[in-house]
Amino acid sequence: MNKVRMTIKIYLMVMVTLTAMSCKDGNQEKDASEPMSSEMYQEDPENQEHSGQMMADNASNNATKTIIDNYLQIKDALVADDQEAAAKAGGKLVSEFEEFDKSDYSSDEQQELTDIIEDAKEHSEHIAESAIDHQREHFDILSKDVIDMIAITGTNKKLYQDFCPMYNNNKGAQWLSASKEIKNPYFGSKMMDCGNIQKEIN
């Protein structure tokens, strides 16, 4: 009888010990998994801020790229003496300027961009509605506006800033081009190669 009691006591002690060890191991596994879990699902605030800034920069670059693309369509149309194509691109450019989001820039930059965009939009409207000689006059000022805008926003696009010394009673006029080859939008077929590259952008 004593042997049976002793056996039962030993058995119970073994069971209690095993249960305690099992619980301890379970807690260790749980503790070990918790930090890993939080690391996996909790993003670093600096990374989140960096991601947000990258998205904002990409959005800004895309908006600037669209404006530049429409500007270049006007330039190409004037090179080809095509009043209708220049007018169409001018109308598109008006919409792009209206939709441009300035919120990612500093307050000073926002003010500068507001002034530039208002002026550029006005000249784009005139290009959309005018005869080709007037389109070229407005393109002169539009070019200055787009150059000033890029100085603030930057661009990923390779551009050439060109200059024609003979336009506007020899006061000269600038324009932007995506090609190294000089194709003059102010004189078109009359003096296609009049001008020179002032500088490269990117």
Side-chain angles (χ1 to χ4, degrees):
M1 193 71 177
N2 286 336
K3 282 185 179 180
V4 172
R5 285 179 185 169
M6 186 64 86
T7 304
I8 290 171
K9 280 183 182 178
I10 292 169
Y11 178 76
L12 287 172
M13 284 173 66
V14 169
M15 288 296 292
V16 168
T17 304
L18 286 172
T19 303
M21 286 175 67
S22 173
C23 287
K24 188 177 178 184
D25 289 343
N27 285 338
Q28 283 179 345
E29 285 176 14
K30 187 178 177 184
D31 291 342
S33 67
E34 279 177 359
M36 191 181 294
S37 171
S38 65
E39 281 174 13
M40 286 173 64
Y41 293 105
Q42 201 169 21
E43 283 189 33
D44 185 340
E46 286 187 13
N47 287 343
Q48 285 181 328
E49 188 178 336
H50 184 63
S51 292
Q53 187 58 48
M54 281 180 64
M55 287 174 68
D57 289 346
N58 287 338
S60 175
N61 282 334
N62 286 338
T64 306
K65 180 183 179 300
T66 307
I67 285 170
I68 292 169
D69 287 345
N70 282 323
Y71 166 88
L72 291 173
Q73 285 181 31
I74 297 174
K75 187 268 298 179
D76 290 341
L78 294 177
V79 166
D81 300 318
D82 189 337
Q83 181 269 336
E84 191 175 326
K88 188 175 178 182
K92 285 183 190 174
L93 200 50
V94 171
S95 300
E96 294 303 329
F97 281 127
E98 286 174 344
E99 292 169 13
F100 187 82
D101 183 4
K102 303 181 288 288
S103 62
D104 296 320
Y105 299 92
S106 71
S107 56
D108 287 344
E109 288 172 335
Q110 285 184 33
Q111 186 55 57
E112 284 184 67
L113 285 168
T114 298
D115 295 342
I116 290 166
I117 286 169
E118 281 180 8
D119 193 60
K121 194 173 80 166
E122 182 183 336
H123 292 290
S124 299
E125 286 169 349
H126 282 290
I127 289 170
E129 298 164 358
S130 302
I132 197 162
D133 286 345
H134 290 301
Q135 285 179 330
R136 287 180 165 131
E137 289 172 11
H138 291 290
F139 182 73
D140 177 11
I141 305 166
L142 175 64
S143 295
K144 292 172 189 170
D145 287 333
V146 174
I147 289 167
D148 288 344
M149 184 178 185
I150 290 170
I152 298 170
T153 64
T155 177
N156 294 327
K157 199 175 181 73
K158 177 82 169 177
L159 294 169
Y160 299 90
Q161 185 175 309
D162 298 335
F163 181 74
C164 169
M166 295 183 66
Y167 187 70
N168 195 17
N169 295 321
N170 294 326
K171 291 177 184 174
Q174 296 170 313
W175 77 93
L176 293 171
S177 174
S179 168
K180 245 182 174 178
E181 185 181 0
I182 294 293
K183 290 187 176 181
N184 191 310
Y186 298 109
F187 291 110
S189 57
K190 292 178 184 175
M191 280 195 287
M192 181 68 72
D193 59 356
C194 177
N196 58 280
I197 296 173
Q198 283 187 318
K199 70 174 183 178
E200 293 182 15
I201 301 171
N202 284 346

